[in-house]
Amino acid sequence: TQLLEQSPQFLSIQEGENLTVYCNSSSVFSSLQWYRQEPGEGPVLLVTVVTGGEVKKLKRLTFQFGDARKDSSLHITAAQPGDTGLYLCALRSNDYKLSFGAGTTVTVRA
Amino acid sequence: EAGVAQSPRYKIIEKRQSVAFWCNPISGHATLYWYQQILGQGPKLLIQFQNNGVVDDSQLPKDRFSAERLKGVDSTLKIQPAKLEDSAVYLCASSRTVLYGYTFGSGTRLTVV
């Protein structure tokens, strides 16, 4: 069974600061997705990364896929209160099923 | 396009009672998933449908959980009888096919007391 570990579990920062959250797998994965889940809502897909070393940017969010395809990170620049939420990474298996990590709860204080 | 609709949003029941959740996926989406998200954890797949057929129910506790998608559109998830540990958010997601990304509904928050 392939396991995903996310760290840190909780992160609280002031508006304008930067933050990074991490996702690590027990083995190599073919593709990984990042989701954000706001309280009372379902997860919303942010990005899919498939190539080792790949970097994708989505406005102030930068996603990186490790060269060995066993880890990924999400960096947020100049965080805003609207970035508050649960950030989940998910492995997409060869049969397209998703397995989620436990998530990082990010709180951005105004 | 309209999103994935789920109802009810909240449900509180006593242990050993029964409960049912309803999901209406995005029109045209053949694949439908039910996930269970316990507080502090990521979503865990319970069952996957392709049209009206079950693709994967390996993690569904079949002694108490059941799900159906009779006409390949709406789906219901039932728990009978409920246990305290079933307290969670039940998320429904759909995709056009397995190759496409998922769209999640807002979920049903179940509290078993």
Side-chain angles (χ1 to χ4, degrees), chain A residues 37 40-42 92 96-97 101, chain B residues 9 37 42 56 98-100 106:
Chain A
Q37 184 176 20
E41 299 297 329
R92 199 169 192 197
Y96 306 102
K97 293 188 181 64
Chain B
R9 285 300 306 270
Q37 187 174 22
D56 182 359
V98 292
L99 298 177
Y100 287 79
S106 297

Side-chain angles (χ1 to χ4, degrees), chain A residues 2-58:
Chain A
Q2 198 165 20
L3 298 176
L4 278 178
E5 288 191 5
Q6 292 192 245
S7 61
Q9 188 176 359
F10 300 98
L11 192 56
S12 180
I13 61 170
Q14 200 70 32
E15 182 177 6
E17 293 181 338
N18 301 332
L19 68 95
T20 302
V21 298
Y22 301 91
C23 176
N24 292 283
S25 171
S26 57
S27 56
V28 174
F29 44 80
S30 57
S31 73
L32 181 136
Q33 296 183 328
W34 282 95
Y35 289 78
R36 178 170 64 217
Q37 184 176 20
E38 297 182 13
E41 299 297 329
V44 175
L45 178 65
L46 297 174
V47 76
T48 301
V49 285
V50 296
T51 305
E54 183 173 10
V55 177
K56 284 192 173 179
K57 293 193 173 184
L58 185 65

